[in-house]
Amino acid sequence: MRKKSVLDPYNALVVAAAQLVLSYGAYWGQRDFREPLDWLAVALLLVGPVGVLLRRRYPVGTAVAALAATYAYTWSGYPYGPVYLSPIILLFSLVTLGQRVKAWVMAGVTIVVFITYGYIRSGEPTGLFHDLAVTAFVLLLMVVAELTRIVRERRAQQQRAAEEENRRQASEERLTMAQELHDVLAHNISLIHVQASTALHLIDDNPQQARTALATIKTASKEVLGEMRSVLNVLRDGAPRSPTAGLDRLDELLERSGLDVKLERAGSRALPPQVERAAYRIVQESLTNAARHAPGAAVTVLLAYGARELVIEVTDGGSTTPPVLAGEGSGNGIPGMRERAVALGGTLVAGPSGRGFRVAARLPLPEEKA
């Protein structure tokens, strides 16, 4: 059952008033050759407006009833004109509501009825012009209805495509934020683990250094809680937004990493937000791996800004455990970094470098505008 429009009662009242009032006016211009309006004429004039009222619930039945009433009204000799308003509306609606074949059949029957009426009423052929005029008017109505249906269907299709694209983008943004949350958790929990181990080891022999490790744990835990709250609030509210981590926060990241980190920059230029986020997370994950597998090792972070690419290299000088991260391993660190780089059209290589470990990423950049 089709949903009833709130405008249908008002449309029906307007059509009823127009057909009744204008039909009385039309009679004064046709009183020499048409019959005056009586109760039967009024009843036939009201069938169409009732059909307009119920057209969404009974599209075919109302159209048939309105056309039959119009045929009877015309063959009874009542005035031409306003009575045809209802059939026009109902045939038009029948096409736009999807009942195209039935609408065209009714249109064909209407053409035959009115051409036949012209021959019978006058007692002689009314002429080719009359037949062509009736046919052209009905066909024009149907063509306009078909064009309207096509426009509405295309508009609905475009709207569905836009909604699907919005849902897809929202899902991608949520997936990106979930990856961001994973990286934040992995980095900070690894940092907390390393610093907690350091604090436990030094708490008796070197309380000052143990205090520094505990302060780092406090800062890292505060950040991870804030990041989790921010991302989860966005996911819950259903209003995804792009993560804001960028290279402007790199110094802060290096300071609280708990590692001896040296930052080197070669060149400088503005970066697209997605490149900034990927670069930040690659450095963050590389530091996480260094803290987990080479605690206490010196780490060098190189950012080289080229005309067409950003080069990121994170190298630690020595590992106290075998550099098992050269393979796929059981974690998502290196695969996650590689996915970020590949998603931007870049590359990422990770593996042993001397006694230590090296992560090297190349992210393509757009040409700088002059």
Side-chain angles (χ1 to χ4, degrees):
M1 183 179 296
R2 295 184 180 274
K3 185 178 179 180
K4 184 178 180 180
S5 171
V6 295
L7 296 178
D8 284 348
Y10 301 100
N11 293 336
L13 287 175
V14 171
V15 172
Q19 291 194 166
L20 287 173
V21 174
L22 295 179
S23 292
Y24 277 101
Y27 169 71
W28 287 101
Q30 305 174 35
R31 60 182 181 273
D32 293 337
F33 57 92
R34 304 302 293 177
E35 298 294 329
L37 297 175
D38 54 18
W39 65 269
L40 177 59
V42 172
L44 293 173
L45 286 171
L46 292 177
V47 173
V50 173
V52 172
L53 176 64
L54 302 176
R55 62 195 170 100
R56 298 183 191 276
R57 182 172 297 180
Y58 309 107
V60 177
T62 53
V64 170
L67 286 171
T70 303
Y71 302 156
Y73 177 95
T74 303
W75 279 66
S76 298
Y78 296 120
Y80 299 122
V83 67
Y84 304 122
L85 180 60
S86 294
I88 290 173
I89 294 175
L90 292 171
L91 279 177
F92 191 94
S93 296
L94 204 59
V95 173
T96 57
L97 292 175
Q99 303 285 349
R100 299 175 55 235
V101 175
K102 296 176 182 178
W104 278 97
V105 170
M106 293 182 195
V109 171
T110 300
I111 293 174
V112 172
V113 168
F114 282 111
I115 291 178
T116 303
Y117 167 77
Y119 281 85
I120 295 177
R121 180 69 176 176
S122 61
E124 60 184 18
T126 53
L128 182 61
F129 178 79
H130 171 269
D131 299 344
L132 291 178
V134 171
T135 304
F137 180 82
V138 175
L139 291 180
L140 178 62
L141 168 65
M142 299 303 293
V143 169
V144 172
E146 289 285 359
L147 292 176
T148 303
R149 177 189 61 82
I150 292 172
V151 170
R152 288 181 180 178
E153 288 180 355
R154 288 183 178 177
R155 187 179 302 164
Q157 184 178 7
Q158 291 173 352
Q159 183 176 358
R160 288 193 297 269
E163 291 174 353
E164 183 64 28
E165 178 65 17
N166 290 336
R167 286 193 293 268
R168 185 189 65 79
Q169 291 181 358
S171 297
E172 288 183 355
E173 290 180 359
R174 286 188 174 93
L175 182 61
T176 299
M177 292 190 332
Q179 187 177 14
E180 296 284 334
L181 183 58
H182 165 269
D183 292 344
V184 170
L185 287 172
H187 172 75
N188 286 283
I189 291 176
S190 295
L191 179 60
I192 290 171
H193 174 74
V194 171
Q195 296 297 331
S197 299
T198 301
L200 289 173
H201 181 70
L202 299 174
I203 193 168
D204 294 326
D205 300 332
N206 193 338
Q208 183 60 36
Q209 190 172 350
R211 187 177 293 109
T212 301
L214 292 174
T216 302
I217 291 174
K218 178 181 178 182
T219 302
S221 60
K222 180 179 180 181
E223 178 182 351
V224 74
L225 288 173
E227 292 271 6
M228 287 180 61
R229 187 179 298 110
S230 175
V231 173
L232 293 177
N233 283 340
V234 172
L235 291 173
R236 182 173 59 249
D237 296 339
R241 63 175 183 271
S242 298
T244 57
L247 294 180
D248 57 327
R249 297 173 53 187
L250 188 57
D251 291 335
E252 176 188 347
L253 173 65
L254 301 183
E255 181 179 351
R256 57 182 172 74
S257 66
L259 299 168
D260 179 13
V261 183
K262 178 183 178 182
L263 175 62
E264 299 178 356
R265 297 179 186 266
S268 177
R269 60 168 292 184
L271 300 177
Q274 62 271 24
V275 175
E276 282 233 16
R277 290 195 298 271
Y280 180 90
R281 295 307 184 190
I282 288 172
V283 173
Q284 183 183 59
E285 183 62 32
S286 299
L287 294 178
T288 300
N289 290 338
R292 184 186 299 126
H293 297 282
V299 179
T300 301
V301 177
L302 169 64
L303 298 177
Y305 298 80
R308 295 183 176 275
E309 66 179 9
L310 172 67
V311 178
I312 307 164
E313 292 187 4
V314 181
T315 308
D316 65 73
S319 176
T320 58
T321 60
V324 295
L325 292 181
E328 289 297 322
S330 58
N332 294 319
I334 290 177
M337 290 189 290
R338 185 173 290 114
E339 288 176 3
R340 287 183 180 275
V342 171
L344 296 175
T347 60
L348 184 138
V349 178
S353 176
R355 295 180 54 198
F357 197 80
R358 175 175 172 269
V359 175
R362 294 178 178 273
L363 306 179
L365 299 176
E367 293 185 6
E368 291 186 276
K369 295 182 180 180

